[in-house]
Amino acid sequence: ELPVRGVYTGYQGVCKEGYPILWDRFLTKGITWYLSCLDTTELMKWHIYTTERGRELYRHLGTDRATIVIDCGDLDCKFFWSHLSATSFIRELVAVDQARFPEHMYKVLLINCSWGFNFLWRWLKMFLKDSVVKDVHVFTAANSLQGLAQFMDASVIPRDF
């Protein structure tokens, strides 16, 4: 049984441009558990598998990519500095996504970001292509709902986001 309750990951709704929306929430407790109990090779295989299933959904809807919303409210710089294995794995995920799925995302909306995460984002951008960075939007907890409203109707936002 997973140690994290209330984690929401899945597709719900479409953005204003008609792309399906993948909702994800990163919880430090869950990330720590996954990396301590599971082999990163298996985690990477699972990530690739789920991304491929998502691409099947896009094709079914007549699109070729998705809008991705990630709730970063539980992440801060302290977590990444104290969990270098998580930082390393996330860099690997980004590299794999850029190599295997270069046009998989329409937009990425990072919501509920702390000031520490905003600092971290400045660092993470160095590892991403400029074409990717322009499609990533970072919103603090105070402006997340207004930020989401730019890209989707309120009716598609899950209640717990």
Side-chain angles (χ1 to χ4, degrees):
E1 182 176 331
L2 297 179
V4 182
R5 300 241 187 266
V7 174
Y8 187 99
T9 300
Y11 289 90
Q12 177 172 318
V14 295
C15 68
K16 290 179 179 178
E17 289 78 18
Y19 297 103
I21 304 169
L22 171 64
W23 299 87
D24 207 346
R25 177 171 288 134
F26 290 165
L27 296 174
T28 56
K29 184 177 177 182
I31 293 169
T32 303
W33 183 85
Y34 278 117
L35 290 173
S36 68
C37 297
L38 302 172
D39 178 65
T40 56
T41 303
E42 293 303 312
L43 286 173
M44 186 64 73
K45 286 179 184 177
W46 180 250
H47 172 73
I48 292 168
Y49 171 80
T50 58
T51 303
E52 289 291 349
R53 298 300 68 79
R55 288 174 65 172
E56 289 174 9
L57 172 66
Y58 315 159
R59 284 191 289 276
H60 177 72
L61 295 174
T63 67
D64 61 349
R65 59 194 75 197
T67 295
I68 302 167
V69 179
I70 302 173
D71 184 346
C72 299
D74 197 39
L75 299 180
D76 59 18
C77 288
K78 179 182 167 187
F79 173 78
F80 286 101
W81 301 147
S82 62
H83 294 82
L84 295 179
S85 62
T87 304
S88 176
F89 184 67
I90 289 171
R91 280 196 314 216
E92 284 181 54
L93 281 176
V94 168
V96 166
D97 280 355
Q98 287 186 19
R100 289 187 67 132
F101 312 109
E103 298 300 323
H104 144 77
M105 66 173 201
Y106 172 65
K107 298 284 183 203
V108 174
L109 311 175
L110 303 173
I111 62 171
N112 297 321
C113 298
S114 66
W115 68 268
F117 186 87
N118 282 316
F119 174 79
L120 179 64
W121 170 241
R122 288 188 205 112
W123 176 76
L124 287 173
K125 288 193 304 189
M126 295 185 298
F127 300 104
L128 301 172
K129 296 176 183 177
D130 289 339
S131 60
V132 172
V133 171
K134 74 175 180 56
D135 289 329
V136 176
H137 303 271
V138 178
F139 301 103
T140 64
N143 69 359
S144 287
L145 286 178
Q146 297 92 335
L148 290 174
Q150 295 173 38
F151 300 95
M152 65 197 64
D153 293 326
S155 63
V156 302
I157 300 172
R159 279 183 278 191
D160 62 341
F161 270 81

